[in-house]
Amino acid sequence: MENVPCTMKAWIYGQHGKPEDVLKLKSDVVVPELKEDQVLVKVMASGLNPVDNKRMIGIFVHAECPLPTVPGYDVAGVVVKVGSQVKNLKVGDEVYGNIHEKALDHPKQYGTLAEYTAVEERLLAPKPKNLSFAEAASLPVAIGTAYEGLQRCEFTAGQSILVLGGAGAVGSMVIQLAKHVFGASRVVATASTGKLELLRNLGADLAVDYTKENFEDLPEKFDVVYDCVGQCERAVKAMKEGGKVVTVSGAVTVPAFKFIVTSNGADLEKLNPYLESGQVKAIIDPKGIYPFSQTLEGLAYVDTGRVAGKVVIHPIQQDN
């Protein structure tokens, strides 16, 4: 067991505002205390999500945790300490997960953009053996959102699906899960011109260039439309009669529905065989790995909305 220090390096903000104004790298942040059902994870890599920027600027202030706050949801790392009620994880285990059970409902004060983070055992899964820490950290929020959305739609083998924003973090997972886990009969996805090949490589039967054609004008309609970009009003025009539309962004047009992911280590564990077999792949943007010291640059890139797959912070500094 390693000697866990009392303080750590972490990115932290004490007030809401633009990340470049409020987010600071501190070297004297207290390592979080463990609750009985938690483990302390030495963070090897952390994934960035649009919600990190949104929380920082104060969009969800009504449901925020107390300040100062360490941002970050996705983690991949090594267990260095376990609480008294922890049953399955032990020191030395390599794990990954989304540390906030309810993404926007009073998330933890100490997230994953830090050298250590405390997280409930039930939110973690063993890291897939074939994945690097950076690849594993790219997955939890995105694959968890994709999986939960498909379950909520009661998506089943033989159905067709249209994925709006297929090259993004969630969309790239929806394509793969629909095809390789749920058994979709047909997967159609939208992206800009330069990302169409990525969609095909992920398993899309048809890649639609949204800069050149409107998806609602396609001759076919779909059992499920999974909207990752906030185009719900148009999305409902592309579903079959009796079909379903799920969105994770923007306003909702009836009969579509919206949800926010609930973190769940059991779901990740269910998906591990697909990741370990290579049927489902972690997708990191070609420019998407930033060292810990360049977290602000990574957040700025996420904010462009042009990321293919995910942005990851790796390695996390561990040189106290």
Side-chain angles (χ1 to χ4, degrees), residues 242-254:
K244 293 179 180 171
V245 174
V246 57
T247 186
V248 292
S249 178
V252 177
T253 303
V254 177

PDB file of all heavy atoms in Angstrom, residues 242-254:
ATOM      1  N   GLY A 242     -45.021   5.794 -33.838  1.00  0.00           N
ATOM      2  CA  GLY A 242     -44.832   4.890 -32.701  1.00  0.00           C
ATOM      3  C   GLY A 242     -43.385   4.755 -32.273  1.00  0.00           C
ATOM      4  O   GLY A 242     -43.068   3.988 -31.361  1.00  0.00           O
ATOM      5  N   GLY A 243     -42.499   5.491 -32.929  1.00  0.00           N
ATOM      6  CA  GLY A 243     -41.079   5.437 -32.565  1.00  0.00           C
ATOM      7  C   GLY A 243     -40.777   6.283 -31.342  1.00  0.00           C
ATOM      8  O   GLY A 243     -41.684   6.843 -30.702  1.00  0.00           O
ATOM      9  N   LYS A 244     -39.479   6.379 -31.014  1.00  0.00           N
ATOM     10  CA  LYS A 244     -39.069   7.117 -29.811  1.00  0.00           C
ATOM     11  C   LYS A 244     -37.911   8.043 -30.142  1.00  0.00           C
ATOM     12  O   LYS A 244     -37.061   7.715 -30.972  1.00  0.00           O
ATOM     13  CB  LYS A 244     -38.665   6.152 -28.701  1.00  0.00           C
ATOM     14  CG  LYS A 244     -39.848   5.351 -28.177  1.00  0.00           C
ATOM     15  CD  LYS A 244     -39.468   4.387 -27.093  1.00  0.00           C
ATOM     16  CE  LYS A 244     -40.701   3.628 -26.620  1.00  0.00           C
ATOM     17  NZ  LYS A 244     -40.362   2.522 -25.720  1.00  0.00           N
ATOM     18  N   VAL A 245     -37.909   9.184 -29.460  1.00  0.00           N
ATOM     19  CA  VAL A 245     -36.800  10.125 -29.573  1.00  0.00           C
ATOM     20  C   VAL A 245     -36.275  10.399 -28.169  1.00  0.00           C
ATOM     21  O   VAL A 245     -37.047  10.746 -27.267  1.00  0.00           O
ATOM     22  CB  VAL A 245     -37.239  11.449 -30.230  1.00  0.00           C
ATOM     23  CG1 VAL A 245     -36.096  12.467 -30.209  1.00  0.00           C
ATOM     24  CG2 VAL A 245     -37.704  11.214 -31.663  1.00  0.00           C
ATOM     25  N   VAL A 246     -34.980  10.234 -27.983  1.00  0.00           N
ATOM     26  CA  VAL A 246     -34.342  10.576 -26.709  1.00  0.00           C
ATOM     27  C   VAL A 246     -33.300  11.650 -26.982  1.00  0.00           C
ATOM     28  O   VAL A 246     -32.612  11.620 -28.002  1.00  0.00           O
ATOM     29  CB  VAL A 246     -33.688   9.337 -26.052  1.00  0.00           C
ATOM     30  CG1 VAL A 246     -32.677   8.673 -26.960  1.00  0.00           C
ATOM     31  CG2 VAL A 246     -33.027   9.709 -24.729  1.00  0.00           C
ATOM     32  N   THR A 247     -33.240  12.639 -26.098  1.00  0.00           N
ATOM     33  CA  THR A 247     -32.254  13.706 -26.250  1.00  0.00           C
ATOM     34  C   THR A 247     -31.489  13.890 -24.947  1.00  0.00           C
ATOM     35  O   THR A 247     -32.019  13.631 -23.861  1.00  0.00           O
ATOM     36  CB  THR A 247     -32.915  15.023 -26.695  1.00  0.00           C
ATOM     37  OG1 THR A 247     -31.896  15.984 -26.967  1.00  0.00           O
ATOM     38  CG2 THR A 247     -33.848  15.577 -25.630  1.00  0.00           C
ATOM     39  N   VAL A 248     -30.262  14.323 -25.083  1.00  0.00           N
ATOM     40  CA  VAL A 248     -29.445  14.593 -23.890  1.00  0.00           C
ATOM     41  C   VAL A 248     -29.032  16.061 -23.855  1.00  0.00           C
ATOM     42  O   VAL A 248     -28.214  16.452 -23.024  1.00  0.00           O
ATOM     43  CB  VAL A 248     -28.197  13.673 -23.839  1.00  0.00           C
ATOM     44  CG1 VAL A 248     -28.609  12.236 -23.595  1.00  0.00           C
ATOM     45  CG2 VAL A 248     -27.352  13.782 -25.105  1.00  0.00           C
ATOM     46  N   SER A 249     -29.595  16.854 -24.757  1.00  0.00           N
ATOM     47  CA  SER A 249     -29.166  18.250 -24.862  1.00  0.00           C
ATOM     48  C   SER A 249     -30.302  19.118 -25.386  1.00  0.00           C
ATOM     49  O   SER A 249     -31.043  18.701 -26.272  1.00  0.00           O
ATOM     50  CB  SER A 249     -27.962  18.341 -25.817  1.00  0.00           C
ATOM     51  OG  SER A 249     -27.546  19.666 -25.993  1.00  0.00           O
ATOM     52  N   GLY A 250     -30.459  20.308 -24.831  1.00  0.00           N
ATOM     53  CA  GLY A 250     -31.394  21.274 -25.381  1.00  0.00           C
ATOM     54  C   GLY A 250     -32.845  21.041 -24.977  1.00  0.00           C
ATOM     55  O   GLY A 250     -33.152  20.209 -24.121  1.00  0.00           O
ATOM     56  N   ALA A 251     -33.724  21.786 -25.622  1.00  0.00           N
ATOM     57  CA  ALA A 251     -35.157  21.731 -25.309  1.00  0.00           C
ATOM     58  C   ALA A 251     -35.776  20.434 -25.839  1.00  0.00           C
ATOM     59  O   ALA A 251     -35.260  19.818 -26.763  1.00  0.00           O
ATOM     60  CB  ALA A 251     -35.863  22.934 -25.918  1.00  0.00           C
ATOM     61  N   VAL A 252     -36.901  20.059 -25.231  1.00  0.00           N
ATOM     62  CA  VAL A 252     -37.574  18.801 -25.592  1.00  0.00           C
ATOM     63  C   VAL A 252     -38.857  19.096 -26.346  1.00  0.00           C
ATOM     64  O   VAL A 252     -39.667  19.920 -25.926  1.00  0.00           O
ATOM     65  CB  VAL A 252     -37.883  17.973 -24.326  1.00  0.00           C
ATOM     66  CG1 VAL A 252     -38.637  16.707 -24.696  1.00  0.00           C
ATOM     67  CG2 VAL A 252     -36.594  17.628 -23.597  1.00  0.00           C
ATOM     68  N   THR A 253     -39.037  18.416 -27.472  1.00  0.00           N
ATOM     69  CA  THR A 253     -40.276  18.504 -28.251  1.00  0.00           C
ATOM     70  C   THR A 253     -41.035  17.191 -28.075  1.00  0.00           C
ATOM     71  O   THR A 253     -40.479  16.119 -28.334  1.00  0.00           O
ATOM     72  CB  THR A 253     -39.954  18.708 -29.754  1.00  0.00           C
ATOM     73  OG1 THR A 253     -39.154  19.880 -29.892  1.00  0.00           O
ATOM     74  CG2 THR A 253     -41.223  18.860 -30.564  1.00  0.00           C
ATOM     75  N   VAL A 254     -42.278  17.257 -27.623  1.00  0.00           N
ATOM     76  CA  VAL A 254     -43.089  16.046 -27.454  1.00  0.00           C
ATOM     77  C   VAL A 254     -43.210  15.345 -28.804  1.00  0.00           C
ATOM     78  O   VAL A 254     -43.375  16.020 -29.820  1.00  0.00           O
ATOM     79  CB  VAL A 254     -44.488  16.447 -26.909  1.00  0.00           C
ATOM     80  CG1 VAL A 254     -45.399  15.222 -26.776  1.00  0.00           C
ATOM     81  CG2 VAL A 254     -44.340  17.138 -25.558  1.00  0.00           C
TER      82      VAL A 254
END
